[in-house]
Amino acid sequence: MGFRIVKLPDIGEGVAEAEVSAWHVKVGDVVREDQPLADVMTDKATVEIPSPVSGTVAALGAEAGQMLAVGAELVRLEIEGGEAAPASAPDSGVAVAPEVATAQDAAAGKPVAALVPAADGLEPAQPAPKPAEAAKPVEPPKARTPAAPAPRPAAAAPSSGPPRPPGEKPVASPAVRRRALEAGIDLRQVRGTGPAGRIGHDDLDAFLNAPPEDAAPAPAGRAARTAVEEIKVIGLRRRIAQRMADAKRRVAHFSYVEEVDVTAVEELRAALNQRHGASRPKLTLIPFLVQALVRALPDFPQMNAHYDDEAEVIHRHAGVHVGIATQTPSGLMVPVLRHAETRDLWNSATEVRRLAEAARNGLAARDELSGSTITITSLGALGGIVTTPVINRPEVAIIGVNKQVMRPVWRDGAFVPRLTMNLSASFDHRVVDGYDAALFVQALKSLLETPATLFMEA
């Protein structure tokens, strides 16, 4: 028997480390060649690592959510034939099972400590005493009578009124006082069960967990829910958290909100869907907003840009690569509609739909999830009245679509019902001035309110 070390491969694009986002095997599993071992996630995409050989999983190199450097040991497989992994290999953080380590030491000619059963598994047996030590007489241990555990003081029965006379100061240690201060608790209201009414940590816990004395009893069948679920933040969720925190920490956000009359564009969208619904994909507002961006960005090139704040360089892009923020079962992803300036309304709708489905099904390619130059985010009917979207760094602008509302609007001397929607845009104030941001959003507003201009040649 031997061991085969599966290392984290070089995934490319200068990736130096990756996160183990999910394991498909555990220690003791028998795996086949090409069977998936684990999913690892980089800034670009999630990659599945297959097994190069058949064997038995002897050890895993990391827990789910842990970062590994390229070349680090990912999985240790026990295989038929071959040579055992050298015991003197440098430590790479791989957790090796005790029986595996013992086999390695034996193969290397090192003394091996026997394993004896313990209450929680196996533990090394104590080494045999040296001859000189064995000759010394050993006194038998004196019998000791186990001391009876001290009874804990019974909790004081709840009663109305303060737990001590007015003006009497509570007795408690500095640690208990600090906990009470952090929890906003007046120690004068806490009953102490220690000597002289001293308040201990148990008394503080009992006070925190006890319901108020004047609280009405819970209705039948409505017991208090006290369970706390602990969820480790790993994989895509951790990547999203890191990117959002990085964007808020490094980007000077400011937002600009404008109300848009979308009555005309919605009438056009409904008419086109009714006319071509059987032969073409259903149109949403997103393809119309994409067309508006394509029309407006040539006059505002500073919006279609990346800002490298480390090199202090702005990269303005001629091509319009629109990120479409998409909610997936794993979290928020941003597939990219590339070269929107070359697409018409229907082609944009088809590609947006394909990208969204690929992202939700976990089938989006790496290059489909990077390279956007400006992003659109929308919650559809849940969009609320106003949002303040977070910029998809290193971009400098993001456009948020909010829900549509029918409002009375004063037009031609009378109130008329009009369908309105707010555009909520955020910008990087290090690159974009407020005046230019306002002009840009006003240009989008004008294009959407007169949708015929979206199809006119400049």
Side-chain angles (χ1 to χ4, degrees):
M1 301 294 290
F3 294 99
R4 173 70 178 269
I5 305 301
V6 181
K7 298 183 178 182
L8 181 65
D10 185 354
I11 303 173
E13 297 191 11
V15 174
E17 62 178 4
E19 176 189 348
V20 180
S21 58
W23 282 107
H24 299 302
V25 297
K26 60 182 181 298
V27 174
D29 284 356
V30 177
V31 298
R32 304 182 310 274
E33 185 176 354
D34 294 330
Q35 178 179 337
L37 297 174
D39 292 340
V40 298
M41 174 176 288
T42 69
D43 289 334
K44 303 296 183 181
T46 299
V47 180
E48 191 176 76
I49 306 299
S51 176
V53 295
S54 298
T56 302
V57 179
L60 304 180
E63 296 181 355
Q66 185 176 339
M67 303 296 293
L68 280 182
V70 170
E73 296 184 10
L74 181 67
V75 180
R76 183 173 298 230
L77 297 175
E78 185 177 1
I79 60 174
E80 294 289 342
E83 297 181 357
S88 58
D91 183 14
S92 60
V94 178
V96 183
E99 54 270 30
V100 176
T102 302
Q104 289 178 332
D105 290 342
K110 294 184 177 181
V112 179
L115 298 178
V116 298
D120 57 351
L122 296 176
E123 63 180 13
Q126 295 297 325
K130 297 179 181 179
E133 295 175 349
K136 294 180 181 180
V138 180
E139 296 183 2
K142 296 181 180 180
R144 291 185 301 172
T145 303
R152 297 184 62 179
S159 62
S160 59
R164 56 180 49 80
E168 180 180 333
K169 294 183 179 181
V171 180
S173 68
V176 172
R177 292 182 182 278
R178 183 169 59 252
R179 277 191 62 198
L181 179 63
E182 293 173 350
I185 296 174
D186 184 356
L187 284 178
R188 291 174 297 180
Q189 303 301 317
V190 181
R191 294 186 180 276
T193 58
R198 185 180 182 88
I199 301 171
H201 288 285
D202 290 344
D203 302 320
L204 198 57
D205 292 337
F207 182 85
L208 288 169
N209 297 325
E213 293 185 1
D214 58 349
R222 294 192 180 182
R225 294 189 290 263
T226 59
V228 177
E229 183 181 7
E230 182 175 309
I231 302 174
K232 190 173 183 179
V233 180
I234 64 174
L236 182 60
R237 186 76 264 163
R238 181 164 78 172
R239 191 69 59 185
I240 293 171
Q242 291 172 343
R243 291 181 64 87
M244 292 298 101
D246 193 47
K248 291 296 289 185
R249 182 172 60 253
R250 301 181 67 169
V251 176
H253 282 77
F254 79 94
S255 296
Y256 180 90
V257 182
E258 180 59 276
E259 184 180 73
V260 180
D261 186 337
V262 293
T263 306
V265 71
E266 280 296 301
E267 290 174 349
L268 175 60
R269 185 182 70 84
L272 291 174
N273 281 335
Q274 183 177 7
R275 181 174 181 179
H276 302 286
S279 59
R280 296 183 180 182
K282 182 180 179 180
L283 292 173
T284 65
L285 184 65
I286 298 299
F288 291 91
L289 184 53
V290 169
Q291 294 299 314
L293 286 174
V294 169
R295 295 286 180 179
L297 284 173
D299 295 328
F300 300 91
Q302 67 272 42
M303 310 296 176
N304 194 45
H306 286 174
Y307 180 39
D308 184 346
D309 51 9
E310 294 181 353
E312 296 184 334
V313 175
I314 300 171
H315 299 276
R316 292 185 176 180
H317 294 262
V320 180
H321 308 301
V322 184
I324 308 295
T326 304
Q327 189 64 38
T328 75
S330 301
L332 185 67
M333 303 181 75
V334 187
V336 182
L337 178 68
R338 297 194 178 278
H339 287 292
E341 74 278 5
T342 65
R343 303 176 185 272
D344 61 16
L345 191 69
W346 299 104
N347 185 274
S348 293
T350 301
E351 184 66 0
V352 167
R353 180 177 180 180
R354 184 193 71 80
L355 289 168
E357 290 179 352
R360 294 190 183 102
N361 295 328
L363 301 176
R366 183 186 306 176
D367 60 349
E368 293 175 333
L369 297 173
S370 61
S372 55
T373 56
I374 191 169
T375 294
I376 296 174
T377 180
S378 171
L379 290 176
L382 301 176
I385 299 174
V386 173
T387 52
T388 54
V390 178
I391 292 172
N392 186 22
R393 183 176 172 272
E395 298 169 25
V396 299
I398 184 171
I399 310 299
V401 177
N402 297 296
K403 67 179 179 180
Q404 299 177 0
V405 180
M406 187 66 71
R407 298 183 185 277
V409 178
W410 184 262
R411 291 170 65 103
D412 302 326
F415 282 105
V416 294
R418 303 293 292 181
L419 193 61
T420 64
M421 178 195 75
N422 287 341
L423 278 183
S424 298
S426 294
F427 302 91
D428 187 341
H429 219 327
R430 300 173 300 174
V431 178
V432 179
D433 294 331
Y435 179 77
D436 293 330
L439 289 178
F440 175 61
V441 175
Q442 291 297 330
L444 296 178
K445 169 185 170 76
S446 177
L447 289 163
L448 292 174
E449 290 184 341
T450 53
T453 56
L454 296 174
F455 310 98
M456 295 173 57
E457 297 295 332

